[in-house]
Amino acid sequence: MNKKWWQNEVVYQIYPKSFFDSNNDGIGDIYGITQKLDYLKELGITMIWICPIYQSPMDDNGYDISDYENIHPDFGTKEDLEQLILEAKKRNIKLIMDLVINHTSDEHFWFQQALKDSKSPYRNYYIFKEGKDGHPPTNWRSVFGGSTWEKVPHEDNLYYFHSFSKKQPDLNWENPQMRQELYAMINRWLEKGIAGFRVDAINFIKKDQRFLDGDIDGSDQLSSCFDYCRNIPGLEVFFDEMRKETFDKYDCMTVSEAVGVDYPNVHSFIGEHGCFSMMFDFNYTNIDVENEDVFKPLNWSVKEYKELLFKSQTEIQKLGWSAPFLENHDQPRCVNKLIKDKKYHDYYGPTMLATMYFYLRGTPFIYQGQELGMLNFKRTSIEEFDDINAHAQYQRALEEGFRKEEAIEFLNNRSRDNSRTPFPWKDDLYGGFSKHQPWILMNENYHKINAMAQVQNPKSVYAYYQKMITIRQQSEYHDTLVYGTFEPLESDDEIICYKRCYAKQTVVVICNFSSQKKSIKMRSSIKKIILNNYRDIWFKECHLILNPYQSLVIEL
Ligand code: GLC
Ligand code: CA
């Protein structure tokens, strides 16, 4: 693969509502990000991805866009965004935006016109269909629960389609005119000097045009929509056109959300003929639940996790580039999800996880607060949850026969609110995020876990991330850690061990993914210890003895 500028980036994901509130109304904003650029610069990241800041009724916190061209006033103005781009550039930080083009808000002008007038050209911008025998056109369940079909008011038997909430009607990608409008919008944004996009739910844009019922798989008598509107053949035709009409005209970076993509199909996403620069592979991310339902927890093992992780790396390496991540705004905190022994939640767990994923082949993404080792936050009743999907999953769990307390427990482990609590800047009122009560409950552990405390402490999770970034970006190991090949190494089931090779250099990453001491046989001698989350390193004969959750990066 030819070298590309975006392989060199380290991306930091910002959930703007929860990052920093500059005007004390309880909601994070664009100027808040600008004020914290120095913190990000210090950390060492080179690019930020901001979740949607466009005009929106906020049914799904901005993933329901009512105007692609304007900024939501809670977040600020277009001038604020221009200033952010400029100030970021001064610090050599690039910016990518979220691109949400599978659906719009139902309050978007196009959809409003489509509803109002059946003769309007905008009708065909969305998916309208007649019901059958008093029922919706198909029995598909939307991602946020309930039917994917919503009845059109004042029409006898007409429904519109939504993969997500009913306030997020899906665009009709079969319509070329609609597609052209999207491409023009994308190009207008790229002209403004952003570096590219994170592309939302893009594998949903093609629907199975047969509109067949699926097998019922829940007490709601519905069938998961995934088999009918996600990763459907024909997707690649839309991808090709979009790429030619937009991304190809700019030297931009794009990263696609790509849940549930099988490896034989990744070539339409990435690589020489793929649409995007890189993709988020969720095949090892959603290891803890079945079919993304929080009430279907899975008892996963490190061995399985390792197999999925290695498969992802080796398959993607064959043709393209990946975007390793541990967290995002839809995931719980990785420490709670992946470190089973709570004793190690404060330092060794988070730093081991960091080492494990950060040196994989690909452009690493860090989600806000991950660099502090932030943890999930326990809530006690459903009213305390903000996320639309938390409410949907709660309802479904009850329908499936779980008790309320059980449903809350599922949400505490898995709800998207876990990663959306306000960023803890310091041990002060509302964690220094705002002087006003934040829009969502604060994680109460901010007294202990906060940026100020960690920036001052050379033994913090933050300091570890900083060191990790410096090694990837600026050390003599840069080429190997960025461009080197990935090779899995055999080891104990609970040790994750791999190497990166480039020219004559070999770097090995060893992670003890357990609370037991483990030993690993060393076949060659160690040239240098590049990184260690413990102070020391122990040997016995030809074996390295690893402490619980110890991680090492070494040169052989
Ligand atoms: C993506 C986003 C998620 C959103 C959904 C619908 O999965 O990451 O937050 O709810 O798309 O836009
Ligand atoms: Ca604000």
Side-chain angles (χ1 to χ4, degrees):
M1 192 174 175
N2 292 334
K3 289 182 182 167
K4 301 277 178 10
W5 66 265
W6 33 258
Q7 296 175 324
N8 245 316
E9 305 295 315
V10 175
V11 190
Y12 188 88
Q13 181 191 352
I14 293 183
Y15 198 66
K17 245 184 137 166
S18 302
F19 193 57
F20 183 60
D21 176 17
S22 72
N23 62 348
N24 296 306
D25 61 357
I27 304 172
D29 41 58
I30 300 171
Y31 189 52
I33 303 174
T34 308
Q35 288 186 312
K36 295 297 183 185
L37 282 172
D38 287 332
Y39 167 83
L40 298 175
K41 182 74 196 162
E42 265 307 294
L43 178 60
I45 59 97
T46 63
M47 178 185 278
I48 50 186
W49 149 29
I50 317 186
C51 287
I53 47 175
Y54 313 92
Q55 194 61 263
S56 160
M58 294 283 164
D59 185 52
D60 185 18
N61 282 341
Y63 282 94
D64 47 322
I65 298 171
S66 53
D67 181 355
Y68 288 108
E69 317 283 336
N70 282 300
I71 304 296
H72 193 294
D74 282 352
F75 293 129
T77 61
K78 278 189 191 168
E79 290 70 42
D80 290 340
L81 181 61
E82 276 162 25
Q83 184 195 23
L84 170 62
I85 296 175
L86 210 80
E87 288 297 320
K89 200 169 178 187
K90 281 189 199 159
R91 294 165 178 82
N92 281 321
I93 295 176
K94 307 176 187 74
L95 186 143
I96 61 174
M97 305 261 293
D98 221 299
L99 181 63
V100 188
I101 48 177
N102 172 66
H103 45 268
T104 67
S105 161
D106 63 337
E107 297 180 30
H108 193 287
F109 172 78
W110 299 343
F111 193 71
Q112 289 299 312
Q113 294 304 306
L115 279 187
K116 234 191 263 161
D117 174 8
S118 62
K119 303 270 166 342
S120 152
Y122 293 112
R123 251 292 142 111
N124 197 30
Y125 274 40
Y126 295 87
I127 303 166
F128 288 89
K129 262 199 161 334
E130 298 273 318
K132 43 175 205 216
D133 321 318
H135 296 288
T138 66
N139 65 353
W140 304 342
R141 176 190 309 111
S142 66
V143 180
F144 296 157
S147 171
T148 53
W149 299 97
E150 181 69 12
K151 196 129 191 297
V152 176
H154 317 300
E155 297 253 12
D156 261 0
N157 187 29
L158 196 66
Y159 295 78
Y160 70 84
F161 177 84
H162 57 92
S163 301
F164 296 89
S165 96
K166 64 178 182 204
K167 285 186 69 63
Q168 294 167 297
D170 283 44
L171 287 161
N172 177 19
W173 274 74
E174 306 294 330
N175 177 350
Q177 194 187 337
M178 188 290 295
R179 300 201 300 270
Q180 287 304 325
E181 284 225 42
L182 288 182
Y183 302 152
M185 176 277 289
I186 293 171
N187 292 338
R188 276 194 295 279
W189 274 107
L190 288 169
E191 293 293 339
K192 286 192 212 291
I194 61 168
F197 295 106
R198 175 266 185 180
V199 192
D200 184 73
I202 198 66
N203 52 342
F204 281 79
I205 61 179
K206 178 81 187 178
K207 287 28 169 191
D208 186 331
Q209 296 299 307
R210 294 170 299 171
F211 293 96
L212 302 172
D213 278 343
D215 294 335
I216 292 169
D217 61 12
S219 308
D220 55 6
Q221 303 303 309
L222 298 173
S223 174
S224 165
C225 68
F226 293 150
D227 286 348
Y228 304 95
C229 65
R230 194 172 80 175
N231 302 320
I232 301 299
L235 199 57
E236 67 286 355
V237 181
F238 295 148
F239 281 4
D240 280 349
E241 183 187 84
M242 170 162 61
R243 172 184 159 168
K244 289 196 186 98
E245 299 273 348
T246 61
F247 311 144
D248 269 1
K249 300 183 184 171
Y250 304 81
D251 187 16
C252 67
M253 159 171 152
T254 51
V255 51
S256 63
E257 189 188 27
V259 185
V261 178
D262 293 331
Y263 295 114
N265 297 322
V266 295
H267 62 90
S268 17
F269 288 80
I270 51 172
E272 191 70 22
H273 304 290
C275 185
F276 311 101
S277 320
M278 61 191 82
M279 63 181 254
F280 294 126
D281 180 7
F282 286 78
N283 287 323
Y284 57 94
T285 307
N286 289 327
I287 187 155
D288 57 325
V289 288
E290 190 185 325
N291 215 24
E292 292 156 60
D293 285 332
V294 303
F295 52 89
K296 295 179 187 159
L298 292 173
N299 201 4
W300 58 277
S301 67
V302 176
K303 181 164 182 269
E304 282 168 75
Y305 184 83
K306 173 160 74 170
E307 279 165 8
L308 291 169
L309 180 78
F310 285 180
K311 176 138 204 226
S312 170
Q313 283 280 300
T314 45
E315 290 293 327
I316 289 180
Q317 174 165 255
K318 286 179 193 162
L319 79 167
W321 196 247
S322 76
F325 68 101
L326 289 173
E327 295 180 358
N328 64 35
H329 63 293
D330 297 328
Q331 290 285 325
R333 292 296 178 175
C334 65
V335 180
N336 296 87
K337 183 168 84 178
L338 298 173
I339 304 296
K340 291 183 181 171
D341 191 335
K342 283 208 174 97
K343 272 208 307 275
Y344 299 95
H345 274 192
D346 54 349
Y347 185 78
Y348 295 116
T351 50
M352 181 282 288
L353 288 176
T355 318
M356 176 200 73
Y357 99 104
F358 198 78
Y359 295 123
L360 294 170
R361 184 175 171 279
T363 299
F365 280 64
I366 302 168
Y367 178 70
Q368 67 180 48
Q370 183 187 318
E371 80 279 21
L372 305 178
M374 277 183 82
L375 299 172
N376 286 349
F377 177 52
K378 274 200 187 340
R379 293 165 173 83
T380 49
S381 78
I382 186 65
E383 290 74 39
E384 290 176 340
F385 288 87
D386 170 82
D387 172 29
I388 179 172
N389 197 32
H391 289 268
Q393 291 274 316
Y394 181 76
Q395 275 318 318
R396 284 193 59 212
L398 296 186
E399 277 167 30
E400 297 298 332
F402 292 101
R403 285 180 291 114
K404 281 186 181 167
E405 305 75 58
E406 291 172 311
I408 295 294
E409 165 101 6
F410 291 136
L411 293 181
N412 279 334
N413 289 333
R414 244 294 169 170
S415 108
R416 308 195 296 178
D417 282 343
N418 280 312
S419 53
R420 299 177 181 186
T421 58
F423 191 95
W425 290 101
K426 52 186 174 186
D427 182 9
D428 200 349
L429 180 69
Y430 305 127
F433 161 75
S434 174
K435 293 197 172 71
H436 184 286
Q437 174 159 11
W439 67 279
I440 188 172
L441 284 180
M442 241 2 253
N443 191 329
E444 279 149 18
N445 66 7
Y446 68 81
H447 305 292
K448 210 175 118 208
I449 300 181
N450 64 70
M452 197 188 217
Q454 296 207 14
V455 167
Q456 291 164 353
N457 174 5
K459 285 217 186 89
S460 62
V461 178
Y462 171 90
Y464 191 85
Y465 266 86
Q466 208 178 28
K467 210 185 286 170
M468 243 178 18
I469 297 173
T470 309
I471 292 170
R472 184 184 190 272
Q473 301 304 96
Q474 286 167 30
S475 78
E476 59 195 291
Y477 303 103
H478 165 269
D479 285 358
T480 304
L481 295 173
V482 176
Y483 309 114
T485 54
F486 168 90
E487 280 178 52
L489 290 173
E490 288 256 350
S491 60
D492 177 284
D493 283 351
E494 291 186 309
I495 297 176
I496 293 191
C497 186
Y498 61 86
K499 66 177 174 185
R500 303 288 313 278
C501 306
Y502 187 82
K504 288 208 171 78
Q505 204 174 55
T506 300
V507 172
V508 175
V509 175
I510 306 172
C511 298
N512 179 3
F513 213 127
S514 85
S515 49
Q516 312 297 313
K517 278 197 172 185
K518 296 267 173 187
S519 76
I520 182 168
K521 194 172 163 86
M522 295 303 293
R523 281 170 225 284
S524 22
S525 59
I526 296 176
K527 227 189 243 167
K528 193 169 163 194
I529 296 161
I530 305 168
L531 188 64
N532 180 2
N533 67 344
Y534 275 74
R535 232 195 21 225
D536 298 310
I537 178 164
W538 293 267
F539 288 98
K540 201 172 168 196
E541 280 125 35
C542 316
H543 286 78
L544 239 175
I545 310 296
L546 297 169
N547 271 316
Y549 296 105
Q550 184 167 18
S551 59
L552 289 165
V553 182
I554 56 188
E555 183 187 358
L556 287 189

